[in-house]
Amino acid sequence: KQEVTQIPAALSVPEGENLVLNCSFTDSAIYNLQWFRQDPGKGLTSLLLIQSSQREQTSGRLNASLDKSSGRSTLYIAASQPGDSATYLCAASRTDKLIFGTGTRLQVFP
Amino acid sequence: DTGVSQDPRHKITKRGQNVTFRCDPISEHNRLYWYRQTLGQGPEFLTYFQNEAQLEKSRLLSDRFSAERPKGSFSTLEIQRTEQGDSAMYLCASTFRGGPGELFFGEGSRLTVL
């Protein structure tokens, strides 16, 4: 059974810092891994999708890496801004459904 | 195309009442998913459809829950005889089977059972 863990559970940093959010999964035979952002009371916004054959994906200030052998993915946020404050969720799929971690709640203060 | 839309966004009901949520996926997407999320947790899978066929249901989906996607377009999730433990955010997502598998979510329907 796939289990997804995210560390840290919460993070508070000053504006401008570079951040690394961690995601680990127990079953390395995944199809893909997806990172999402969730604002309070809102739905999920897809940030990056990494296919199982890929090692990383980049979008603007975001870079996500995938190491299937170690069961880990990291989301790197460069030059953080207050607008980045949200909960970040990773999810792994081995079958036809995504299994989610509990998220990292990020606060970036000015 | 404006993405996945869900209705209603908020629903407050009394215990024992029935509620129904609707999801309209992105038009060309043939797969539709329902997830449930409680405070401080990640979304949990409930069920999914490919076109009109319901392919998998989670053990979380008790007999009081039923989901349909009659014409392979929009979907409904009905909860009968609601209980306080049903209070959660119900999220709908869609994707295209045969594509890269990226899942797109709606804004969710928040249910509060009094």
Side-chain angles (χ1 to χ4, degrees), chain B residues 19-22 34 46 61 65-67 75-79 90:
Chain B
V19 297
T20 298
F21 301 115
R22 174 179 170 127
W34 286 99
L46 292 179
L61 216 63
F65 288 71
S66 63
S75 175
T76 58
L77 176 68
E78 181 183 16
I79 309 173
Y90 291 85

Side-chain angles (χ1 to χ4, degrees), chain A residues 34 38 46 96-98, chain B residues 33 35 37 48 56 102-103:
Chain A
Q34 199 167 347
Q38 186 174 33
S46 178
D96 290 325
K97 58 182 183 284
L98 285 176
Chain B
Y33 293 78
Y35 280 80
Q37 185 179 28
Y48 85 99
E56 186 175 347
E102 188 172 9
L103 215 55

Side-chain angles (χ1 to χ4, degrees), chain B residues 2-3 5 35 42 56 76 83 86 97-98 100 111-112:
Chain B
T2 57
S5 64
Y35 280 80
E56 186 175 347
T76 58
E83 302 173 355
D86 297 331
R97 169 68 170 155
L111 173 65
T112 301

Side-chain angles (χ1 to χ4, degrees), chain A residues 1 32 34 36 38 41-49 51 89 95-103, chain B residues 9 31 33 35 37 40-43 45 48 56 89 91 97 100-108 110:
Chain A
K1 176 187 174 186
N32 59 44
Q34 199 167 347
F36 296 88
Q38 186 174 33
K42 302 290 187 179
L44 280 64
T45 299
S46 178
L47 296 174
L48 290 165
L49 171 73
Q51 305 273 26
L89 293 152
T95 58
D96 290 325
K97 58 182 183 284
L98 285 176
I99 305 300
F100 282 84
T102 53
Chain B
R9 293 291 312 281
R31 283 203 168 174
Y33 293 78
Y35 280 80
Q37 185 179 28
Q41 300 299 311
F45 169 79
Y48 85 99
E56 186 175 347
M89 175 79 89
L91 294 160
R97 169 68 170 155
E102 188 172 9
L103 215 55
F104 295 91
F105 280 80
E107 289 292 335
R110 178 166 295 284

Side-chain angles (χ1 to χ4, degrees), chain B residues 29-50:
Chain B
H29 285 180
N30 50 15
R31 283 203 168 174
L32 185 149
Y33 293 78
W34 286 99
Y35 280 80
R36 181 172 69 186
Q37 185 179 28
T38 53
L39 199 62
Q41 300 299 311
E44 296 174 295
F45 169 79
L46 292 179
T47 187
Y48 85 99
F49 295 83
Q50 180 161 319

Side-chain angles (χ1 to χ4, degrees), chain A residues 41-92:
Chain A
K42 302 290 187 179
L44 280 64
T45 299
S46 178
L47 296 174
L48 290 165
L49 171 73
I50 311 176
Q51 305 273 26
S52 62
S53 59
Q54 298 172 324
R55 295 297 301 270
E56 66 177 330
Q57 283 287 333
T58 297
S59 176
R61 292 183 295 107
L62 305 179
N63 174 277
S65 66
L66 175 64
D67 184 344
K68 286 178 54 179
S69 62
S70 66
R72 293 182 181 178
S73 176
T74 60
L75 179 67
Y76 177 82
I77 303 176
S80 58
Q81 304 170 358
D84 295 331
S85 298
T87 295
Y88 291 80
L89 293 152
C90 73

